[in-house]
Amino acid sequence: GSRTEFILSCIGYSVGLGNVWRFPFLAYANGGGAFLIPYIIILVLVGKPMYFMEAAIGQYAQVGPLAMWSQLLPGSVGIGAAMVIISLIVAIYYNVIMAYCLFYLFNSFYSVLPWSHCDPGWGADSRCYVRSANISEDELEGHCIIDDLGGCVESNSQTSTEQFWEKAVLNFDYNGLGEFGDLGEFQYHLAFCLALSWLVVSLCVMKG
């Protein structure tokens, strides 16, 4: 391929959901700006040399991980197998995250965002409240709900965004799995988004 394709491939390999999504949270949880000092040190001493070594070996061998390690050191072919398995696992859970993103993307085309208000249409209950609304502290405190056995089940208030995630997106069952092998109802909207996510990935990599 051309030089531009190689540069774009390196950018695609380097920048992922972890950079955009998880890194700000990790920096905030581990000291804010101070976290950047050890991060930059490890990036320069470990991250970039490993990245360059992987790119250089890949350019030299021009084969997959299994074949590359078979040529370099046959006794270490297990490293190549581990790389393939890790890539498979990452591809699976990244596509699941992308399916969630697609579902929210489709719902964002409504004139009123579904998660911006408590709508019984997607399953909001009495515990739901809008974060921006004028709610007192007493209304946000947990309260007791009597179950079928006469016991007390504590129920805490939830924001509309939290309930939309649990009820509309995941269709979360608070009672847990009923019995062994019970995986719950099939979520057609998530299955469609997941299939669309895999389709987009397949179209991106079908030309190598």
Short mmCIF file of all heavy atoms in Angstrom, two decimals, residues 46-80:
data_model
loop_
_atom_site.label_atom_id
_atom_site.label_comp_id
_atom_site.label_asym_id
_atom_site.label_seq_id
_atom_site.Cartn_x
_atom_site.Cartn_y
_atom_site.Cartn_z
N VAL A 46 8.62 2.53 27.19
CA VAL A 46 8.07 1.19 26.94
C VAL A 46 7.10 1.18 25.76
O VAL A 46 7.25 0.39 24.82
CB VAL A 46 7.36 0.64 28.20
CG1 VAL A 46 6.77 -0.74 27.92
CG2 VAL A 46 8.32 0.58 29.38
N GLY A 47 6.12 2.07 25.79
CA GLY A 47 5.05 2.02 24.80
C GLY A 47 5.53 2.23 23.38
O GLY A 47 5.29 1.38 22.50
N LYS A 48 6.21 3.34 23.13
CA LYS A 48 6.65 3.64 21.77
C LYS A 48 7.70 2.65 21.24
O LYS A 48 7.64 2.25 20.07
CB LYS A 48 7.17 5.07 21.69
CG LYS A 48 6.07 6.12 21.79
CD LYS A 48 5.01 5.88 20.72
CE LYS A 48 3.87 6.89 20.82
NZ LYS A 48 2.81 6.62 19.81
N PRO A 49 8.71 2.23 22.04
CA PRO A 49 9.63 1.21 21.52
C PRO A 49 8.93 -0.10 21.17
O PRO A 49 9.24 -0.72 20.13
CB PRO A 49 10.62 1.01 22.69
CG PRO A 49 10.60 2.31 23.41
CD PRO A 49 9.17 2.78 23.32
N MET A 50 7.97 -0.54 22.01
CA MET A 50 7.24 -1.76 21.69
C MET A 50 6.39 -1.58 20.43
O MET A 50 6.30 -2.49 19.59
CB MET A 50 6.35 -2.15 22.87
CG MET A 50 7.10 -2.60 24.11
SD MET A 50 7.88 -4.21 23.88
CE MET A 50 6.44 -5.26 23.82
N TYR A 51 5.80 -0.41 20.31
CA TYR A 51 5.00 -0.12 19.12
C TYR A 51 5.87 -0.15 17.87
O TYR A 51 5.49 -0.74 16.83
CB TYR A 51 4.33 1.23 19.28
CG TYR A 51 3.45 1.65 18.13
CD1 TYR A 51 2.11 1.30 18.09
CD2 TYR A 51 3.96 2.40 17.07
CE1 TYR A 51 1.30 1.68 17.03
CE2 TYR A 51 3.16 2.77 16.00
CZ TYR A 51 1.83 2.41 16.00
OH TYR A 51 1.05 2.77 14.95
N PHE A 52 7.05 0.50 17.93
CA PHE A 52 7.95 0.52 16.78
C PHE A 52 8.44 -0.88 16.44
O PHE A 52 8.53 -1.25 15.26
CB PHE A 52 9.14 1.44 17.06
CG PHE A 52 10.17 1.43 15.97
CD1 PHE A 52 9.94 2.11 14.79
CD2 PHE A 52 11.35 0.73 16.12
CE1 PHE A 52 10.89 2.11 13.77
CE2 PHE A 52 12.30 0.71 15.11
CZ PHE A 52 12.07 1.41 13.93
N MET A 53 8.77 -1.68 17.47
CA MET A 53 9.24 -3.03 17.22
C MET A 53 8.17 -3.88 16.54
O MET A 53 8.45 -4.61 15.57
CB MET A 53 9.65 -3.70 18.53
CG MET A 53 10.21 -5.11 18.36
SD MET A 53 10.53 -5.96 19.91
CE MET A 53 8.85 -6.25 20.47
N GLU A 54 6.92 -3.75 17.01
CA GLU A 54 5.84 -4.52 16.41
C GLU A 54 5.60 -4.10 14.96
O GLU A 54 5.40 -4.96 14.08
CB GLU A 54 4.56 -4.34 17.23
CG GLU A 54 3.41 -5.21 16.77
CD GLU A 54 2.24 -5.16 17.72
OE1 GLU A 54 2.35 -4.53 18.78
OE2 GLU A 54 1.20 -5.76 17.39
N ALA A 55 5.62 -2.78 14.71
CA ALA A 55 5.42 -2.30 13.34
C ALA A 55 6.57 -2.72 12.44
O ALA A 55 6.35 -3.11 11.28
CB ALA A 55 5.27 -0.77 13.34
N ALA A 56 7.81 -2.66 12.94
CA ALA A 56 8.97 -3.03 12.13
C ALA A 56 8.97 -4.52 11.80
O ALA A 56 9.22 -4.91 10.65
CB ALA A 56 10.26 -2.65 12.87
N ILE A 57 8.67 -5.36 12.79
CA ILE A 57 8.63 -6.81 12.53
C ILE A 57 7.49 -7.14 11.56
O ILE A 57 7.65 -7.98 10.66
CB ILE A 57 8.45 -7.58 13.85
CG1 ILE A 57 9.70 -7.40 14.74
CG2 ILE A 57 8.21 -9.06 13.59
CD1 ILE A 57 9.59 -8.08 16.07
N GLY A 58 6.35 -6.46 11.74
CA GLY A 58 5.24 -6.70 10.81
C GLY A 58 5.57 -6.30 9.39
O GLY A 58 5.22 -7.01 8.44
N GLN A 59 6.28 -5.16 9.23
CA GLN A 59 6.69 -4.73 7.90
C GLN A 59 7.71 -5.70 7.28
O GLN A 59 7.69 -5.96 6.08
CB GLN A 59 7.31 -3.33 7.98
CG GLN A 59 6.31 -2.21 8.14
CD GLN A 59 5.60 -1.87 6.84
OE1 GLN A 59 6.22 -1.56 5.83
NE2 GLN A 59 4.28 -1.95 6.86
N TYR A 60 8.57 -6.22 8.12
CA TYR A 60 9.60 -7.14 7.62
C TYR A 60 9.01 -8.50 7.23
O TYR A 60 9.30 -9.03 6.16
CB TYR A 60 10.68 -7.33 8.68
CG TYR A 60 11.69 -8.40 8.34
CD1 TYR A 60 12.69 -8.16 7.41
CD2 TYR A 60 11.64 -9.65 8.96
CE1 TYR A 60 13.62 -9.14 7.10
CE2 TYR A 60 12.55 -10.64 8.65
CZ TYR A 60 13.54 -10.38 7.71
OH TYR A 60 14.45 -11.36 7.40
N ALA A 61 8.16 -9.03 8.08
CA ALA A 61 7.63 -10.38 7.84
C ALA A 61 6.48 -10.37 6.84
O ALA A 61 6.38 -11.25 5.98
CB ALA A 61 7.17 -11.00 9.16
N GLN A 62 5.60 -9.37 6.94
CA GLN A 62 4.44 -9.24 6.06
C GLN A 62 3.56 -10.49 6.06
O GLN A 62 3.02 -10.89 5.04
CB GLN A 62 4.88 -8.90 4.62
CG GLN A 62 5.58 -7.56 4.52
CD GLN A 62 5.90 -7.17 3.09
OE1 GLN A 62 5.59 -7.90 2.16
NE2 GLN A 62 6.53 -6.01 2.93
N VAL A 63 3.43 -11.10 7.24
CA VAL A 63 2.55 -12.25 7.43
C VAL A 63 1.83 -12.07 8.76
O VAL A 63 2.09 -11.13 9.50
CB VAL A 63 3.33 -13.59 7.41
CG1 VAL A 63 3.89 -13.87 6.04
CG2 VAL A 63 4.43 -13.58 8.46
N GLY A 64 0.93 -13.00 9.08
CA GLY A 64 0.19 -12.94 10.33
C GLY A 64 1.06 -13.29 11.53
O GLY A 64 2.21 -13.74 11.38
N PRO A 65 0.52 -13.09 12.74
CA PRO A 65 1.31 -13.37 13.95
C PRO A 65 1.79 -14.81 14.05
O PRO A 65 2.93 -15.06 14.45
CB PRO A 65 0.34 -13.02 15.09
CG PRO A 65 -0.65 -12.10 14.49
CD PRO A 65 -0.80 -12.53 13.06
N LEU A 66 0.94 -15.77 13.72
CA LEU A 66 1.34 -17.18 13.81
C LEU A 66 2.50 -17.48 12.89
O LEU A 66 3.51 -18.09 13.32
CB LEU A 66 0.15 -18.08 13.49
CG LEU A 66 -0.90 -18.26 14.58
CD1 LEU A 66 -2.10 -19.05 14.06
CD2 LEU A 66 -0.29 -18.99 15.78
N ALA A 67 2.38 -17.07 11.63
CA ALA A 67 3.46 -17.33 10.68
C ALA A 67 4.72 -16.55 11.03
O ALA A 67 5.84 -17.05 10.86
CB ALA A 67 2.99 -16.99 9.27
N MET A 68 4.55 -15.35 11.54
CA MET A 68 5.72 -14.52 11.87
C MET A 68 6.54 -15.16 12.98
O MET A 68 7.76 -15.29 12.89
CB MET A 68 5.25 -13.13 12.29
CG MET A 68 6.38 -12.18 12.64
SD MET A 68 5.78 -10.64 13.35
CE MET A 68 5.20 -11.22 14.95
N TRP A 69 5.87 -15.60 14.07
CA TRP A 69 6.60 -16.21 15.17
C TRP A 69 7.12 -17.59 14.80
O TRP A 69 8.14 -18.02 15.35
CB TRP A 69 5.72 -16.28 16.41
CG TRP A 69 5.61 -14.96 17.10
CD1 TRP A 69 4.57 -14.08 17.06
CD2 TRP A 69 6.60 -14.33 17.92
NE1 TRP A 69 4.84 -12.96 17.79
CE2 TRP A 69 6.08 -13.09 18.34
CE3 TRP A 69 7.89 -14.70 18.33
CZ2 TRP A 69 6.80 -12.21 19.14
CZ3 TRP A 69 8.60 -13.83 19.14
CH2 TRP A 69 8.05 -12.60 19.54
N SER A 70 6.49 -18.27 13.88
CA SER A 70 7.01 -19.56 13.40
C SER A 70 8.32 -19.35 12.65
O SER A 70 9.22 -20.20 12.72
CB SER A 70 5.99 -20.25 12.49
OG SER A 70 4.80 -20.52 13.19
N GLN A 71 8.44 -18.22 11.96
CA GLN A 71 9.67 -17.93 11.22
C GLN A 71 10.78 -17.41 12.14
O GLN A 71 11.94 -17.80 12.02
CB GLN A 71 9.40 -16.91 10.12
CG GLN A 71 8.44 -17.40 9.03
CD GLN A 71 8.10 -16.32 8.03
OE1 GLN A 71 8.68 -15.22 8.05
NE2 GLN A 71 7.13 -16.59 7.17
N LEU A 72 10.41 -16.52 13.06
CA LEU A 72 11.42 -15.92 13.94
C LEU A 72 11.93 -16.91 14.96
O LEU A 72 13.15 -17.07 15.15
CB LEU A 72 10.82 -14.70 14.64
CG LEU A 72 10.48 -13.49 13.77
CD1 LEU A 72 9.87 -12.38 14.60
CD2 LEU A 72 11.72 -12.99 13.04
N LEU A 73 11.02 -17.57 15.66
CA LEU A 73 11.40 -18.49 16.73
C LEU A 73 10.29 -19.52 16.88
O LEU A 73 9.28 -19.26 17.53
CB LEU A 73 11.60 -17.72 18.04
CG LEU A 73 12.16 -18.52 19.23
CD1 LEU A 73 13.54 -19.08 18.89
CD2 LEU A 73 12.22 -17.66 20.48
N PRO A 74 10.45 -20.69 16.24
CA PRO A 74 9.36 -21.68 16.25
C PRO A 74 8.89 -22.06 17.65
O PRO A 74 7.72 -22.36 17.86
CB PRO A 74 9.99 -22.88 15.54
CG PRO A 74 11.04 -22.28 14.66
CD PRO A 74 11.60 -21.12 15.43
N GLY A 75 9.79 -22.02 18.63
CA GLY A 75 9.39 -22.37 19.99
C GLY A 75 8.46 -21.37 20.62
O GLY A 75 7.83 -21.66 21.64
N SER A 76 8.36 -20.16 20.02
CA SER A 76 7.50 -19.11 20.58
C SER A 76 6.24 -18.90 19.75
O SER A 76 5.65 -17.81 19.78
CB SER A 76 8.28 -17.78 20.66
OG SER A 76 9.41 -17.90 21.50
N VAL A 77 5.84 -19.92 19.02
CA VAL A 77 4.64 -19.79 18.21
C VAL A 77 3.40 -19.56 19.08
O VAL A 77 2.39 -19.01 18.63
CB VAL A 77 4.47 -21.04 17.32
CG1 VAL A 77 4.11 -22.25 18.17
CG2 VAL A 77 3.40 -20.82 16.25
N GLY A 78 3.48 -19.94 20.35
CA GLY A 78 2.37 -19.70 21.27
C GLY A 78 2.10 -18.21 21.47
O GLY A 78 0.96 -17.82 21.73
N ILE A 79 3.16 -17.38 21.33
CA ILE A 79 2.95 -15.93 21.43
C ILE A 79 2.07 -15.45 20.29
O ILE A 79 1.15 -14.64 20.48
CB ILE A 79 4.31 -15.19 21.41
CG1 ILE A 79 5.17 -15.62 22.60
CG2 ILE A 79 4.10 -13.68 21.40
CD1 ILE A 79 6.54 -14.99 22.63
N GLY A 80 2.31 -15.98 19.09
CA GLY A 80 1.47 -15.63 17.96
C GLY A 80 0.03 -16.07 18.15
O GLY A 80 -0.91 -15.34 17.83
#
